[in-house]
């Protein structure tokens, strides 16, 4: 379900959920950009690996990192916003009242905002204006995400080469990436997985509780 709002001269929408959840997100990034997710794009395990595969053939992954974040979020997702560096600062274009944006990981831009996306995964945007003040829970003064904790940062080469996931990037990306692939990626972040590049870090106050175990 979608709730209509007026944004940038046209109708925009929020998913009709309004619940708060602690979720896991992943980000592929440069070696000097592991400290924050403000005004940045992330994905769930499937979604981010689809993005990594798009970059695999360039070989640049050998000099990149992957970070696992755990964040409390309002799941009334807004439209996905592209976040990038411009004129010396990071910005997100297309945010809606600070809501975390969401879309299907690959395919038509702007689709998948409120659907399951279980086969391909999802991409997310974390606008600065939606971040909760330090130590405050989601919902405080309308904030939409907070208690961000970087759980672990590892080398992308360890995931793609040592763990063999780079082989899944060949051919039809969407067809070769599945739940088993996402599971291997998640396991790479375990203490017994790839070596940590940097220690865990709680960005703003106490870390959120761990997500519930799967049913």
């Amino acid at each position: 379900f979608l709730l209509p709002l007026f944004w940038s001269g046209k109708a925009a929408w929020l998913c009709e959920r309004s619940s708060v959840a602690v979720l896991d997100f992943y980000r592929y990034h440069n070696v000097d950009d592991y400290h924050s997710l403000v005004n940045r794009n992330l994905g769930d395990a499937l979604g981010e690996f689809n993005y990594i595969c798009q970059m695999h053939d360039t070989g640049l992954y050998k000099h990149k990192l992957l970070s696992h974040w755990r964040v409390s979020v309002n799941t009334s997702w807004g439209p996905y916003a592209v976040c990038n560096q411009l004129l010396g600062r990071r910005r997100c274009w297309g945010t809606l009242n600070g809501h975390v944006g969401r879309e299907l990981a690959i395919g038509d831009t702007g689709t998948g905002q409120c659907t399951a996306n279980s086969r391909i995964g999802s991409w997310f945007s974390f606008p600065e204006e939606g971040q909760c003040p330090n130590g405050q829970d989601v919902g405080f003064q309308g904030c939409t995400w907070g208690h961000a904790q970087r759980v672990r940062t590892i080398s992308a080469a360890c995931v793609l080469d040592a763990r063999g996931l780079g082989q899944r990037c060949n051919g039809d990306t969407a067809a070769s990436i599945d739940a088993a692939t996402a599971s291997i990626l998640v396991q790479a972040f375990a203490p017994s997985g790839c070596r940590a590049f940097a220690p865990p870090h709680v960005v703003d106050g106490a870390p959120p509780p761990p997500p519930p175990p799967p049913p």
Side-chain angles (χ1 to χ4, degrees):
F1 297 97
L2 294 170
L3 296 175
L5 291 173
F6 195 74
W7 166 74
S8 297
K10 61 182 179 180
W13 310 88
L14 292 178
C15 300
E16 192 176 43
R17 287 181 182 147
S18 297
S19 62
V20 176
V22 178
L23 300 178
D24 293 303
F25 301 93
Y26 300 87
R27 183 166 182 261
Y28 172 75
H29 55 86
N30 294 327
V31 295
D32 60 349
D33 193 23
Y34 61 88
H35 58 285
S36 176
L37 51 69
V38 174
N39 288 339
R40 287 161 171 82
N41 298 122
L42 291 83
D44 57 19
L46 269 176
E48 196 64 6
F49 194 70
N50 267 297
Y51 175 71
I52 294 168
C53 277
Q54 293 181 10
M55 309 292 157
H56 180 253
D57 288 344
T58 67
L60 295 178
Y61 72 90
K62 295 180 183 295
H63 309 288
K64 300 278 189 175
L65 300 176
L66 278 166
S67 289
H68 169 202
W69 288 84
R70 187 164 292 149
V71 192
S72 293
V73 294
N74 181 334
T75 60
S76 294
W77 310 117
Y80 179 81
V82 175
C83 304
N84 218 323
Q85 185 89 7
L86 180 66
L87 300 177
R89 59 167 293 193
R90 296 198 67 90
R91 306 163 188 257
C92 290
W93 287 266
T95 64
L96 179 59
N97 295 343
H99 278 265
V100 176
R102 183 176 183 265
E103 74 172 5
L104 190 68
I106 56 178
D108 293 334
T109 300
T111 61
Q113 179 180 334
C114 303
T115 52
N117 305 340
S118 57
R119 189 176 70 87
I120 297 176
S122 302
W123 290 338
F124 301 83
S125 50
F126 286 82
E128 183 176 9
E129 58 266 35
Q131 184 181 23
C132 297
N134 286 357
Q136 298 294 337
D137 294 334
V138 171
F140 176 78
Q141 296 182 346
C143 67
T144 61
W145 65 272
H147 294 309
Q149 178 191 16
R150 184 173 52 79
V151 181
R152 194 176 181 88
T153 295
I154 60 177
S155 163
C158 177
V159 174
L160 292 167
D161 294 339
R163 302 237 156 199
L165 288 185
Q167 298 174 5
R168 302 266 185 143
C169 292
N170 299 323
D172 185 341
T173 300
S176 62
I177 298 175
D178 52 20
T181 304
S183 177
I184 295 171
L185 175 62
V186 171
Q187 292 170 16
F189 284 94
S192 59
C194 296
R195 182 176 65 86
F197 172 83
H201 178 56
V202 178
V203 174
D204 57 350

